[in-house]
Amino acid sequence: MKTTGAEELGGYRGALLPILLETQHRQPGVAPHQERIQLPRPRMWLKALVVAGAAVGIAVVIPALSNDPLEGAIAVEHRGKVIHLSVQDASADPESMTNDLRAAGLDAQVEVAPVSPSLVGMWVDFFSPGPKPDADPRGLDIWNQMYPPGDPSGIPRARVLKIPSDFSTAFTVVVGRPAHEGETWQQANFSDVPDETSDGGIISCLGLEPSDTEGVDRALENLGYVREWSVEDPDVPSSERVAGPPGGKVIVYAELLGPNVLLISTADSETPAARAALSTHARQAKGC
Amino acid sequence: MTVGHKTDEELLVLAADGDPQALEEFYRRHVDKVERFASRRCHRPQEVPDLVAAVWLEVVESTNRFDPTRGRAVPWLLGTAANLIASRSRRRMRELQARSRLGGRRSLDEDDYARLEEQMAAVGLAAELKDAISKLPTGERVVVELVALEGLTPGQAAGALGISSSAARMRLARGRMKLRRSMSTPFLSTSPLKEGSV
């Protein structure tokens, strides 16, 4: 492989170049320009027809392709030399999930983690021993499945995990499960955690006054929310948690940490953030 | 036309199609940038090669995700790097992969060491800022880093991170506000944080 003038770079940067070229060479061939062509949107009825047809097709074809579909907490489908794993019951205990995978011949351990709603039932992490001499290098490919192409969010998630049937290295996978009341999410999708002071958010919907922190605290408590309060203090680089609603402050931001756990950030009323929050509140339509 | 005359965006598209010369040219043009990016996020020069290699491996395997109609190549490159660093497990896996592939060749020679020490000293004046940035919530930190340290506009940072422009501006404003409160040095008054970045 040509590495024109890698020597000129010198040091570790020169050594890295041929490795990158080799990595590029090993990439599966794709035609990104073609993939990016936007197809015209079909009419809705046509779309519905296609979706319905596809659903029927999938229903017919998948069982035909699967040699021995196993339906437990994890659906296991053998498709040629690849095992497709998808979560059927995200609330099941991890031991039964582990058993499902072991029954499929995989040296696997399943763990579960509370996650925000859109990640429930997804595979949200994968661990294998890494590039040890005896480890299967395809572990990296499996782990890469957690990062959907074209998604720059960096939030790992996969609906279906595809494992080579001869993958013999021990591994651990993490399934996103629903969080319990009062629990915080270990991983949250950005789309699940908007600013709750903005239009449509809890604080905004209830028409609560950002400067009445105690009133907000009472209202949220009555609705069953666990409240975590913080103050954006000028003397520390980030917010400082406080035990209860701080008096004389203004709510500048609120974000769900779990299904009913709300982090509420406040700031001094003279700060730009507080003034912006009050100004936004004045402009917001009350209620939802 | 040789690859030397191609734009960064053309190089990335060609690299995604498997053109090694395009990848090499892109690497040569921007390896310094990625090294500086990594230097700001490492405490010792010895840590830099693993992170640089991890970022480039991520880039090489992600070139097919680059869409020139959605943004420029350098913001995409830095956004890819920032996202890698924001995800601990992904960074860990990539660094393991890089260590395995580079082996002993990742050790620094004298030139490497001198250059990295110089880079780290150059950003040393911002050590307080670096510390303050590291304490920001991830969403705010990544945007602040791209705008304040890497010189992207908020719009470019938004494109690089795949978030809306308004979300990027909101995170940036919040991050800046926290940093201003935590910093007493004049650094902020002359940094891009202050100058029209929002």
Side-chain angles (χ1 to χ4, degrees), chain B residues 72-146:
Chain B
R72 306 293 297 273
V74 169
W76 177 86
L77 170 68
L78 296 175
T80 302
N83 276 324
L84 175 74
I85 289 169
S87 168
R88 274 189 302 174
S89 67
R90 184 148 54 145
R91 176 177 173 175
R92 186 189 62 205
M93 285 292 282
R94 281 288 184 220
E95 287 190 337
L96 283 171
Q97 186 190 22
R99 268 177 230 167
S100 159
R101 306 278 298 279
L102 270 170
R105 289 171 294 173
R106 68 195 174 87
S107 56
L108 301 174
D109 65 21
E110 283 181 15
D111 288 344
D112 282 334
Y113 209 94
R115 189 182 62 253
L116 291 173
E117 279 204 317
E118 197 175 314
Q119 279 180 12
M120 290 180 138
V123 295
L125 78 146
E128 187 189 358
L129 175 66
K130 194 160 119 177
D131 184 51
I133 288 176
S134 72
K135 291 175 181 165
L136 292 174
T138 305
E140 292 168 15
R141 176 167 49 78
V142 172
V143 178
V144 166
E145 283 177 341
L146 288 177

Coordinates of all heavy atoms in Angstrom, one line a residue, chain B residues 72-146:
Chain B
R72 N -19.0 21.7 6.4 CA -17.6 21.7 6.0 C -16.8 20.5 6.7 O -17.3 20.0 7.7 CB -16.9 23.0 6.3 CG -17.6 24.3 5.8 CD -17.6 24.3 4.2 NE -16.2 24.4 3.7 CZ -15.5 25.6 3.6 NH1 -16.2 26.7 3.9 NH2 -14.3 25.6 3.1
A73 N -15.7 20.2 6.1 CA -15.0 19.0 6.6 C -14.3 19.2 7.9 O -14.3 18.3 8.8 CB -13.9 18.7 5.5
V74 N -13.7 20.4 8.2 CA -13.0 20.6 9.4 C -14.0 20.6 10.6 O -13.7 19.9 11.6 CB -12.1 21.9 9.4 CG1 -11.6 22.2 10.8 CG2 -11.0 21.6 8.5
P75 N -15.1 21.3 10.6 CA -16.0 21.2 11.7 C -16.5 19.7 11.9 O -16.6 19.2 13.0 CB -17.2 22.0 11.2 CG -16.6 23.0 10.4 CD -15.5 22.3 9.6
W76 N -16.7 19.0 10.8 CA -17.1 17.6 10.9 C -16.0 16.8 11.6 O -16.2 16.0 12.5 CB -17.3 17.0 9.5 CG -17.7 15.5 9.5 CD1 -18.9 15.0 9.7 CD2 -16.7 14.4 9.4 NE1 -18.8 13.6 9.7 CE2 -17.5 13.2 9.5 CE3 -15.4 14.4 9.2 CZ2 -16.9 12.0 9.4 CZ3 -14.8 13.1 9.1 CH2 -15.5 11.9 9.2
L77 N -14.7 17.0 11.2 CA -13.6 16.4 11.8 C -13.5 16.6 13.3 O -13.4 15.7 14.1 CB -12.3 16.9 11.1 CG -11.0 16.4 11.8 CD1 -10.7 14.9 11.6 CD2 -9.8 17.2 11.1
L78 N -13.7 17.9 13.7 CA -13.6 18.2 15.1 C -14.8 17.8 15.9 O -14.7 17.4 17.0 CB -13.4 19.8 15.3 CG -12.1 20.3 14.7 CD1 -12.0 21.8 14.8 CD2 -10.9 19.7 15.4
G79 N -16.0 17.8 15.2 CA -17.2 17.3 15.9 C -17.0 15.8 16.1 O -17.4 15.3 17.2
T80 N -16.5 15.1 15.2 CA -16.2 13.6 15.3 C -15.3 13.4 16.5 O -15.5 12.5 17.4 CB -15.6 13.0 14.0 OG1 -16.5 13.3 13.0 CG2 -15.4 11.5 14.2
A81 N -14.3 14.2 16.6 CA -13.3 14.1 17.7 C -14.0 14.4 19.0 O -13.8 13.7 20.0 CB -12.1 15.0 17.5
A82 N -14.8 15.4 19.0 CA -15.4 15.9 20.3 C -16.4 14.8 20.8 O -16.5 14.5 21.9 CB -16.2 17.2 20.1
N83 N -17.2 14.2 19.8 CA -18.1 13.2 20.2 C -17.4 11.9 20.7 O -17.9 11.3 21.6 CB -19.0 12.8 19.0 CG -20.2 13.7 18.8 OD1 -20.7 14.2 19.8 ND2 -20.5 14.1 17.6
L84 N -16.3 11.6 20.1 CA -15.5 10.5 20.6 C -15.1 10.7 22.0 O -15.2 9.8 22.9 CB -14.3 10.3 19.7 CG -13.3 9.2 20.2 CD1 -13.9 7.8 19.9 CD2 -12.0 9.3 19.5
I85 N -14.6 11.9 22.3 CA -14.1 12.2 23.7 C -15.3 12.2 24.7 O -15.1 11.9 25.8 CB -13.3 13.5 23.6 CG1 -12.0 13.2 22.9 CG2 -13.0 14.0 25.0 CD1 -11.2 14.4 22.5
A86 N -16.4 12.7 24.2 CA -17.6 12.8 25.1 C -18.1 11.4 25.5 O -18.7 11.3 26.6 CB -18.7 13.6 24.4
S87 N -17.8 10.4 24.7 CA -18.3 9.1 25.1 C -17.1 8.3 25.7 O -16.2 7.9 24.9 CB -18.8 8.4 23.8 OG -19.1 7.0 24.1
R88 N -17.2 8.1 27.0 CA -16.1 7.4 27.6 C -15.8 6.0 27.1 O -14.7 5.6 26.8 CB -16.3 7.3 29.1 CG -15.8 8.6 29.8 CD -15.8 8.4 31.3 NE -17.1 8.0 31.8 CZ -17.4 7.7 33.0 NH1 -16.5 7.6 33.9 NH2 -18.6 7.4 33.4
S89 N -16.9 5.3 26.9 CA -16.7 3.9 26.4 C -16.2 3.8 25.0 O -15.3 3.0 24.7 CB -18.0 3.1 26.5 OG -18.9 3.5 25.6
R90 N -16.6 4.7 24.2 CA -16.2 4.7 22.8 C -14.7 5.1 22.7 O -13.9 4.6 22.0 CB -17.0 5.7 21.9 CG -16.7 5.7 20.5 CD -17.8 5.9 19.6 NE -18.5 7.2 19.8 CZ -19.0 7.9 18.9 NH1 -18.9 7.6 17.6 NH2 -19.7 9.0 19.2
R91 N -14.3 6.2 23.5 CA -12.9 6.6 23.5 C -12.0 5.5 24.0 O -11.0 5.2 23.5 CB -12.8 7.8 24.4 CG -11.4 8.3 24.6 CD -11.2 9.5 25.4 NE -9.8 9.8 25.7 CZ -9.4 10.9 26.3 NH1 -10.3 11.8 26.8 NH2 -8.1 11.1 26.5
R92 N -12.5 4.8 25.1 CA -11.7 3.7 25.6 C -11.5 2.6 24.6 O -10.4 2.1 24.4 CB -12.5 3.1 26.9 CG -11.7 2.1 27.6 CD -12.5 1.4 28.6 NE -13.6 0.7 28.0 CZ -14.8 0.4 28.6 NH1 -15.0 0.8 29.8 NH2 -15.7 -0.3 27.9
M93 N -12.5 2.2 23.9 CA -12.4 1.2 22.9 C -11.5 1.6 21.8 O -10.6 0.8 21.3 CB -13.8 0.8 22.3 CG -14.7 0.0 23.2 SD -14.0 -1.7 23.5 CE -14.5 -2.5 22.0
R94 N -11.6 2.8 21.3 CA -10.8 3.3 20.2 C -9.3 3.4 20.7 O -8.4 3.1 19.9 CB -11.3 4.7 19.8 CG -12.5 4.7 18.9 CD -12.1 4.1 17.5 NE -13.3 4.2 16.6 CZ -13.6 3.3 15.7 NH1 -12.8 2.2 15.6 NH2 -14.6 3.4 14.9
E95 N -9.1 3.8 21.9 CA -7.7 3.9 22.4 C -7.1 2.5 22.5 O -5.9 2.3 22.2 CB -7.6 4.7 23.7 CG -7.9 6.2 23.4 CD -7.6 7.0 24.7 OE1 -7.6 6.5 25.8 OE2 -7.3 8.2 24.5
L96 N -7.9 1.6 23.0 CA -7.4 0.2 23.0 C -7.0 -0.3 21.7 O -6.0 -0.9 21.4 CB -8.4 -0.7 23.7 CG -8.6 -0.6 25.2 CD1 -9.8 -1.4 25.6 CD2 -7.4 -1.2 25.9
Q97 N -7.9 0.0 20.7 CA -7.7 -0.4 19.3 C -6.4 0.2 18.8 O -5.6 -0.4 18.2 CB -8.9 0.0 18.5 CG -8.8 -0.5 17.1 CD -9.9 0.1 16.2 OE1 -10.4 1.2 16.5 NE2 -10.3 -0.5 15.1
A98 N -6.2 1.5 19.1 CA -5.1 2.3 18.6 C -3.8 1.7 19.2 O -2.8 1.5 18.5 CB -5.2 3.7 18.9
R99 N -3.8 1.4 20.5 CA -2.6 0.9 21.2 C -2.2 -0.5 20.6 O -1.1 -0.7 20.4 CB -2.9 0.7 22.7 CG -2.6 1.9 23.5 CD -2.9 1.6 24.9 NE -3.7 2.8 25.4 CZ -4.3 2.8 26.5 NH1 -4.4 1.8 27.3 NH2 -4.9 3.9 26.9
S100 N -3.3 -1.3 20.3 CA -3.0 -2.6 19.8 C -2.4 -2.5 18.4 O -1.5 -3.2 18.0 CB -4.3 -3.3 19.7 OG -4.3 -4.4 18.8
R101 N -2.9 -1.5 17.6 CA -2.4 -1.4 16.2 C -1.0 -0.7 16.1 O -0.2 -1.1 15.3 CB -3.4 -0.6 15.4 CG -4.8 -1.1 15.4 CD -5.0 -2.3 14.4 NE -4.8 -1.9 13.1 CZ -5.7 -1.3 12.3 NH1 -6.9 -1.0 12.8 NH2 -5.5 -1.0 11.1
L102 N -0.9 0.3 17.0 CA 0.4 1.1 16.9 C 1.5 0.4 17.7 O 2.7 0.5 17.3 CB 0.2 2.5 17.5 CG -0.3 3.6 16.5 CD1 -0.7 4.8 17.2 CD2 0.9 3.9 15.5
G103 N 1.2 -0.3 18.7 CA 2.2 -1.0 19.5 C 3.2 0.0 20.0 O 3.0 1.1 20.4
G104 N 4.5 -0.4 19.8 CA 5.6 0.4 20.3 C 5.8 1.7 19.5 O 6.5 2.6 19.9
R105 N 5.2 1.7 18.3 CA 5.4 2.9 17.5 C 4.7 4.1 18.0 O 4.8 5.2 17.4 CB 4.9 2.6 16.0 CG 5.8 1.6 15.3 CD 5.2 1.1 14.0 NE 4.0 0.3 14.3 CZ 3.2 -0.1 13.3 NH1 3.5 0.2 12.1 NH2 2.2 -0.8 13.6
R106 N 3.9 4.0 19.0 CA 3.2 5.1 19.5 C 4.0 5.9 20.6 O 3.6 6.9 21.1 CB 1.8 4.8 20.1 CG 1.9 3.9 21.4 CD 0.6 3.3 21.7 NE 0.7 2.4 22.9 CZ 0.6 2.8 24.1 NH1 0.4 4.1 24.4 NH2 0.8 2.0 25.1
S107 N 5.2 5.3 20.9 CA 6.0 6.0 21.8 C 6.6 7.3 21.1 O 6.8 7.3 19.9 CB 7.2 5.1 22.3 OG 7.9 4.7 21.2
L108 N 6.8 8.3 21.9 CA 7.2 9.6 21.4 C 8.7 9.7 21.1 O 9.5 9.3 22.0 CB 6.8 10.7 22.3 CG 5.3 10.8 22.7 CD1 5.1 11.8 23.8 CD2 4.5 11.1 21.5
D109 N 9.1 10.3 20.0 CA 10.5 10.5 19.8 C 10.8 12.0 20.3 O 9.8 12.6 20.8 CB 10.9 10.3 18.3 CG 10.2 11.3 17.4 OD1 9.8 12.4 17.8 OD2 10.2 11.0 16.2
E110 N 12.0 12.4 20.2 CA 12.3 13.7 20.8 C 11.6 14.8 20.2 O 11.1 15.8 20.9 CB 13.9 14.0 20.6 CG 14.7 13.1 21.6 CD 16.1 13.4 21.5 OE1 16.5 14.4 20.8 OE2 16.9 12.6 22.0
D111 N 11.4 14.8 18.8 CA 10.7 15.9 18.2 C 9.2 15.9 18.6 O 8.6 16.9 18.8 CB 10.7 15.7 16.6 CG 12.1 16.0 16.1 OD1 12.9 16.6 16.8 OD2 12.4 15.5 15.0
D112 N 8.6 14.7 18.7 CA 7.2 14.6 19.2 C 7.1 15.3 20.5 O 6.2 16.1 20.8 CB 6.8 13.1 19.3 CG 6.5 12.5 18.0 OD1 6.1 13.2 17.1 OD2 6.6 11.2 17.9
Y113 N 8.0 14.8 21.4 CA 7.9 15.3 22.8 C 8.1 16.8 22.9 O 7.3 17.5 23.6 CB 9.1 14.6 23.6 CG 8.7 14.4 25.0 CD1 8.1 13.2 25.5 CD2 8.8 15.4 26.0 CE1 7.8 13.0 26.8 CE2 8.5 15.2 27.3 CZ 7.9 14.0 27.7 OH 7.6 13.8 29.0
A114 N 9.1 17.3 22.1 CA 9.3 18.8 22.2 C 8.0 19.5 21.7 O 7.6 20.5 22.3 CB 10.5 19.2 21.4
R115 N 7.5 19.0 20.6 CA 6.4 19.7 20.0 C 5.1 19.7 20.9 O 4.5 20.7 21.1 CB 6.0 19.0 18.6 CG 5.0 19.8 17.8 CD 4.7 19.0 16.5 NE 4.1 17.7 16.7 CZ 4.7 16.6 16.5 NH1 5.9 16.5 16.1 NH2 4.1 15.4 16.8
L116 N 4.9 18.5 21.5 CA 3.7 18.4 22.3 C 3.9 19.2 23.6 O 2.9 19.8 24.1 CB 3.5 16.9 22.7 CG 3.0 16.0 21.5 CD1 3.0 14.6 21.9 CD2 1.6 16.5 21.1
E117 N 5.1 19.2 24.2 CA 5.3 20.0 25.4 C 5.1 21.5 25.0 O 4.5 22.2 25.8 CB 6.7 19.8 25.9 CG 6.9 18.6 26.7 CD 8.0 18.6 27.7 OE1 9.1 19.1 27.2 OE2 7.9 18.2 28.8
E118 N 5.5 21.9 23.8 CA 5.3 23.3 23.4 C 3.8 23.6 23.3 O 3.4 24.6 23.8 CB 6.0 23.5 22.1 CG 6.3 25.0 21.7 CD 7.1 25.0 20.4 OE1 8.1 24.3 20.3 OE2 6.7 25.8 19.6
Q119 N 3.1 22.7 22.7 CA 1.7 22.9 22.5 C 1.0 23.0 23.8 O 0.1 23.8 24.0 CB 1.1 21.7 21.7 CG 1.3 21.9 20.2 CD 0.7 20.7 19.5 OE1 -0.1 19.9 20.0 NE2 1.0 20.6 18.2
M120 N 1.4 22.1 24.8 CA 0.7 22.0 26.1 C 1.1 23.3 26.8 O 0.2 23.9 27.6 CB 1.1 20.8 26.8 CG 0.5 19.6 26.2 SD 0.9 18.1 27.1 CE -0.6 17.2 27.1
A121 N 2.3 23.8 26.7 CA 2.6 25.1 27.3 C 1.8 26.2 26.8 O 1.4 27.1 27.5 CB 4.1 25.3 27.2
A122 N 1.6 26.2 25.4 CA 0.9 27.3 24.8 C -0.5 27.3 25.3 O -1.1 28.4 25.4 CB 0.9 27.0 23.3
V123 N -1.1 26.2 25.6 CA -2.5 26.2 26.1 C -2.5 26.2 27.6 O -3.5 26.2 28.3 CB -3.3 25.0 25.6 CG1 -3.5 25.1 24.1 CG2 -2.7 23.7 26.0
G124 N -1.2 26.3 28.2 CA -1.1 26.2 29.7 C -1.8 27.5 30.3 O -2.3 27.4 31.4
L125 N -1.7 28.6 29.6 CA -2.3 29.8 30.2 C -3.8 29.6 30.4 O -4.4 30.3 31.2 CB -2.1 31.0 29.3 CG -3.0 31.1 28.1 CD1 -3.2 32.6 27.8 CD2 -2.3 30.5 26.9
A126 N -4.3 28.6 29.7 CA -5.8 28.4 29.9 C -6.1 27.2 30.8 O -7.1 26.7 30.7 CB -6.4 28.2 28.5
A127 N -5.1 26.9 31.6 CA -5.3 25.7 32.5 C -6.5 25.9 33.4 O -7.3 24.9 33.6 CB -4.1 25.5 33.4
E128 N -6.7 27.1 33.9 CA -7.9 27.4 34.7 C -9.1 27.2 33.9 O -10.1 26.6 34.3 CB -7.8 28.8 35.3 CG -8.8 29.1 36.3 CD -8.8 30.6 36.7 OE1 -8.0 31.3 36.2 OE2 -9.7 31.0 37.5
L129 N -9.1 27.7 32.7 CA -10.2 27.6 31.8 C -10.5 26.1 31.5 O -11.6 25.7 31.5 CB -10.0 28.4 30.5 CG -11.0 28.2 29.4 CD1 -12.3 28.9 29.9 CD2 -10.5 28.9 28.1
K130 N -9.4 25.4 31.2 CA -9.5 24.0 30.9 C -10.2 23.2 32.0 O -11.1 22.4 31.8 CB -8.1 23.4 30.6 CG -8.1 22.1 29.9 CD -6.7 21.9 29.3 CE -6.0 20.7 29.9 NZ -4.7 20.4 29.3
D131 N -9.8 23.5 33.2 CA -10.4 22.9 34.4 C -11.9 23.2 34.5 O -12.7 22.4 34.8 CB -9.6 23.4 35.6 CG -10.1 22.7 36.9 OD1 -10.2 21.4 36.8 OD2 -10.4 23.4 37.8
A132 N -12.1 24.5 34.3 CA -13.5 25.0 34.4 C -14.4 24.3 33.3 O -15.5 23.9 33.6 CB -13.6 26.5 34.3
I133 N -13.8 24.2 32.1 CA -14.6 23.6 31.0 C -14.9 22.2 31.3 O -16.0 21.6 31.1 CB -13.9 23.8 29.7 CG1 -13.9 25.2 29.2 CG2 -14.4 22.9 28.6 CD1 -13.1 25.5 27.9
S134 N -13.9 21.5 31.9 CA -14.0 20.1 32.2 C -15.2 19.8 33.2 O -15.7 18.7 33.3 CB -12.7 19.5 32.7 OG -12.5 19.9 34.0
K135 N -15.5 20.8 33.9 CA -16.6 20.7 34.9 C -18.0 21.0 34.4 O -19.0 20.9 35.1 CB -16.3 21.5 36.2 CG -15.1 21.0 36.9 CD -14.7 21.9 38.1 CE -13.5 21.3 38.8 NZ -12.8 22.3 39.7
L136 N -18.0 21.4 33.2 CA -19.4 21.7 32.6 C -20.1 20.4 32.3 O -19.4 19.4 32.0 CB -19.2 22.5 31.3 CG -18.7 24.0 31.4 CD1 -18.4 24.5 30.0 CD2 -19.6 24.9 32.2
P137 N -21.4 20.5 32.2 CA -22.2 19.3 31.8 C -21.7 19.0 30.3 O -21.4 19.9 29.6 CB -23.6 19.7 31.8 CG -23.6 20.9 32.7 CD -22.3 21.6 32.6
T138 N -21.8 17.7 30.0 CA -21.2 17.2 28.7 C -21.8 18.0 27.5 O -21.0 18.5 26.7 CB -21.5 15.7 28.5 OG1 -21.0 15.0 29.6 CG2 -20.9 15.2 27.2
G139 N -23.1 18.2 27.5 CA -23.7 18.9 26.3 C -23.1 20.3 26.1 O -22.8 20.7 25.0
E140 N -23.0 21.0 27.2 CA -22.4 22.4 27.2 C -20.9 22.3 26.9 O -20.4 23.1 26.1 CB -22.7 23.1 28.5 CG -24.2 23.3 28.7 CD -24.4 23.8 30.2 OE1 -23.5 24.2 30.9 OE2 -25.6 23.7 30.6
R141 N -20.2 21.4 27.5 CA -18.8 21.3 27.4 C -18.4 21.1 25.9 O -17.5 21.8 25.4 CB -18.2 20.2 28.3 CG -16.7 20.0 28.1 CD -16.2 19.1 29.2 NE -16.9 17.9 29.4 CZ -16.8 16.8 28.6 NH1 -16.0 16.8 27.6 NH2 -17.6 15.7 28.9
V142 N -19.0 20.2 25.3 CA -18.6 19.9 23.9 C -18.8 21.1 23.0 O -18.0 21.4 22.2 CB -19.4 18.6 23.4 CG1 -19.2 18.4 21.9 CG2 -19.1 17.4 24.2
V143 N -19.9 21.8 23.1 CA -20.2 23.0 22.3 C -19.2 24.1 22.6 O -18.6 24.7 21.7 CB -21.6 23.5 22.5 CG1 -21.8 24.7 21.7 CG2 -22.6 22.4 22.1
V144 N -18.9 24.3 23.9 CA -18.0 25.3 24.3 C -16.6 25.0 23.8 O -15.9 25.9 23.3 CB -17.9 25.4 25.9 CG1 -16.7 26.3 26.3 CG2 -19.2 26.1 26.4
E145 N -16.2 23.7 23.9 CA -14.8 23.4 23.4 C -14.7 23.7 21.9 O -13.7 24.2 21.4 CB -14.6 21.9 23.6 CG -14.2 21.6 25.1 CD -14.0 20.1 25.3 OE1 -14.5 19.3 24.5 OE2 -13.4 19.8 26.3
L146 N -15.7 23.3 21.1 CA -15.7 23.4 19.7 C -15.6 24.9 19.3 O -14.9 25.3 18.4 CB -16.8 22.7 19.0 CG -16.8 21.2 19.0 CD1 -18.0 20.6 18.3 CD2 -15.5 20.7 18.2

